[in-house]
Amino acid sequence: MHRFHDFCRRSLDDIKRQGRYRTFTSLQKQADRFPLYRRPDGREVLVWSSNDYLGMGVSAAVIEAAAEAAHSMGAGAGGTRNIGGTSPQVHELEAELADLHGKQAGLLFTSGFVSNQAALAAILNSTPEGPDRRWICFSDEKNHASMIAGIKGSRAVVQIFRHNDIAHLGELLAAAPADAPKLVAFESVYSMDADIAPIGRICELAGRFGAMTYLDEVHAVGLYGPQGGGVSERDGVAPCVDIIEGTLAKGFGCHGGYIAGDAEVVDYIRSVAPGFIFTTSLPPPTVVAALASVRHLRRDPDLRVKLFERTAALKARLLAAGLPVMHSESHILPLHIGEAARCRAVSQRLLDEFAMYATPINYPTVPRGGERLRITPCPFHTDAMMDRLVDALTIVLEPERRVAA
């Protein structure tokens, strides 16, 4: 045990020397002042990195739904889905999410991480072609840690294809045994690089080689498409995707993860995935709040429209000021810094001197040299707030570093 303690100490010292030791900034969300948060000393902070992309987590209707559910059903589910944790509202939410994506069935998990880990492992550990035939999983090199955890926790043979590279994926698929079970796992919006996958082309290619498709839409659900069904809905290709995975914790502003797909596939995962079976169900207030949020965003696109208008407005300001905005096809605006200690220092100066918070993203989340601030404007960031951010960044970043990434 003492050797392990020594190992922990050495490892932590090394992480600190590299400037990538993580410290968590204590910030209290203010439902009536979002995106303004409050520090423990009472000072307000303007947050630029919330994943509550549309502010649905502070929506009065969502909060009221959660409060009413807490009063009528209590704070916790009190059991797994099999032990008193399946309320009628759970079934309603699963049906709503399935309908959102045009699928036969949906399945709730306790988080987006768990939904990816549990669903992918369940699929890739199955034996549709017999016990001696292992799946081949074709995984985009920039997939989420949760997807990697599910894939690595399986018996599958893993082939990594270059990020969004259709030609490379095609080469790998063509080289694989024709009769092997295959799965292509990828995302729609890649949250650190702010780019978007060519979903339709990937699905067409997968279909040509008899491969299933598994699409992570966590950074897109609620935000893209006429009803918030994600990039696959926006692009009209959701029917081509076998399994769509999403979260309730970002665009929908609540908590939890889910998958949607064909009824037999979803039922199989429900029946065998330990990450689903052996964990307590989502709390009733969370389920009811998420249901209210999904239903609101499906019928009202105003927040989506405002989000992208605000994103364009901030991007134009950052570029006009000569700040190092990285290429972005989405609602996320990464600002290139390029060194771990500096990235943390820039974030800390913004907080201490300008009462603004932007998350520093360092290795291993991004490659060394690719360290960045991750900026996510929301519908409630005003022009004045944007001007404050640009002025602060202009002061904090030296002129020689303020070049296009």
Side-chain angles (χ1 to χ4, degrees):
M1 183 59 73
H2 291 302
R3 289 183 180 179
F4 181 63
H5 289 177
D6 290 341
F7 169 80
C8 291
R9 191 177 303 110
R10 290 195 306 272
S11 297
L12 289 169
D13 287 344
D14 185 51
I15 291 170
K16 290 173 181 176
R17 276 193 298 272
Q18 294 178 42
R20 58 186 185 90
Y21 181 74
R22 298 177 187 228
T23 56
F24 300 138
T25 303
S26 182
L27 297 170
Q28 181 175 307
K29 198 174 186 180
Q30 299 183 99
D32 60 341
R33 305 259 305 151
F34 185 79
L36 290 166
Y37 287 53
R38 192 172 295 280
R39 299 187 75 174
D41 61 9
R43 288 181 293 168
E44 282 195 326
V45 174
L46 177 57
V47 169
W48 287 99
S49 295
S50 174
N51 281 344
D52 189 355
Y53 294 131
L54 299 174
M56 288 304 294
V58 299
S59 160
V62 172
I63 293 171
E64 287 167 11
E68 183 178 337
H71 283 296
S72 62
M73 289 185 277
T80 65
R81 289 289 298 273
N82 193 47
I83 307 175
T86 301
S87 66
Q89 290 79 9
V90 166
H91 284 309
E92 285 185 62
L93 180 54
E94 288 177 334
E96 190 77 30
L97 292 166
D99 189 63
L100 171 66
H101 295 293
K103 301 300 182 186
Q104 294 176 349
L107 189 66
L108 286 175
F109 293 82
T110 50
S111 73
F113 189 103
V114 173
S115 58
N116 269 333
Q117 183 181 41
L120 281 165
I123 294 166
L124 297 173
N125 279 325
S126 68
T127 55
E129 306 297 331
D132 297 327
R133 299 306 304 272
R134 296 163 66 188
W135 282 82
I136 303 175
C137 181
F138 302 87
S139 177
D140 188 287
E141 67 177 339
K142 293 192 175 180
N143 276 341
H144 275 124
S146 57
M147 299 178 77
I148 295 168
I151 293 166
K152 284 188 173 181
S154 76
R155 298 174 57 251
V157 175
V158 184
Q159 298 282 328
I160 308 298
F161 64 92
R162 289 187 294 270
H163 180 52
N164 283 345
D165 190 328
I166 298 296
H168 188 217
L169 175 59
E171 291 170 8
L172 295 176
L173 284 164
D179 59 347
K182 307 177 191 68
L183 177 75
V184 181
F186 63 109
E187 303 179 28
S188 57
V189 175
Y190 287 84
S191 64
M192 295 303 150
D193 291 87
D195 56 350
I196 294 176
I199 300 171
R201 293 171 64 200
I202 290 174
C203 289
E204 189 277 329
L205 188 61
R208 196 187 313 164
F209 289 95
M212 284 180 59
T213 47
Y214 182 104
L215 174 63
D216 176 315
E217 286 260 38
V218 297
H219 289 279
V221 289
L223 283 68
Y224 296 78
Q227 297 184 80
V231 178
S232 57
E233 186 200 18
R234 183 197 71 177
D235 294 351
V237 294
C240 306
V241 181
D242 291 297
I243 299 174
I244 295 176
E245 185 267 348
T247 183
L248 302 167
K250 295 179 172 65
F252 295 123
C254 297
H255 188 74
Y258 66 90
I259 60 167
D262 288 347
E264 287 97 353
V265 172
V266 171
D267 197 18
Y268 174 78
I269 294 168
R270 182 191 69 88
S271 300
V272 304
F276 171 81
I277 297 169
F278 300 110
T279 191
T280 300
S281 183
L282 286 169
T286 301
V287 172
V288 174
L291 184 58
S293 181
V294 173
R295 285 175 170 169
H296 174 86
L297 289 174
R298 290 191 72 181
R299 66 176 181 266
D300 188 347
D302 288 353
L303 284 174
R304 283 191 286 281
V305 173
K306 186 68 172 176
L307 170 70
F308 288 102
E309 182 276 323
R310 293 285 77 196
T311 301
L314 179 57
K315 185 176 184 178
R317 284 170 165 80
L318 293 169
L319 289 170
L323 292 163
V325 186
M326 300 173 69
H327 175 71
S328 171
E329 302 171 39
S330 68
H331 60 287
I332 299 165
L333 300 176
L335 198 71
H336 185 260
I337 305 298
E339 195 274 322
R342 174 178 167 78
C343 193
R344 288 179 59 248
V346 168
S347 177
Q348 195 63 46
R349 281 194 65 189
L350 285 174
L351 182 63
D352 293 341
E353 299 175 29
F354 300 96
M356 283 183 274
Y357 180 71
T359 304
I361 306 296
N362 292 332
Y363 175 85
T365 307
V366 295
R368 286 188 174 91
E371 290 82 2
R372 65 202 65 176
L373 297 182
R374 182 176 179 275
I375 298 173
T376 55
C378 80
F380 306 105
H381 282 110
T382 65
D383 287 347
M385 290 174 177
M386 293 182 182
D387 292 338
R388 279 179 56 198
L389 175 64
V390 170
D391 289 345
L393 287 168
T394 302
I395 293 169
V396 171
L397 297 176
E398 292 91 348
E400 63 269 23
R401 298 301 296 273
R402 291 191 283 108
V403 294

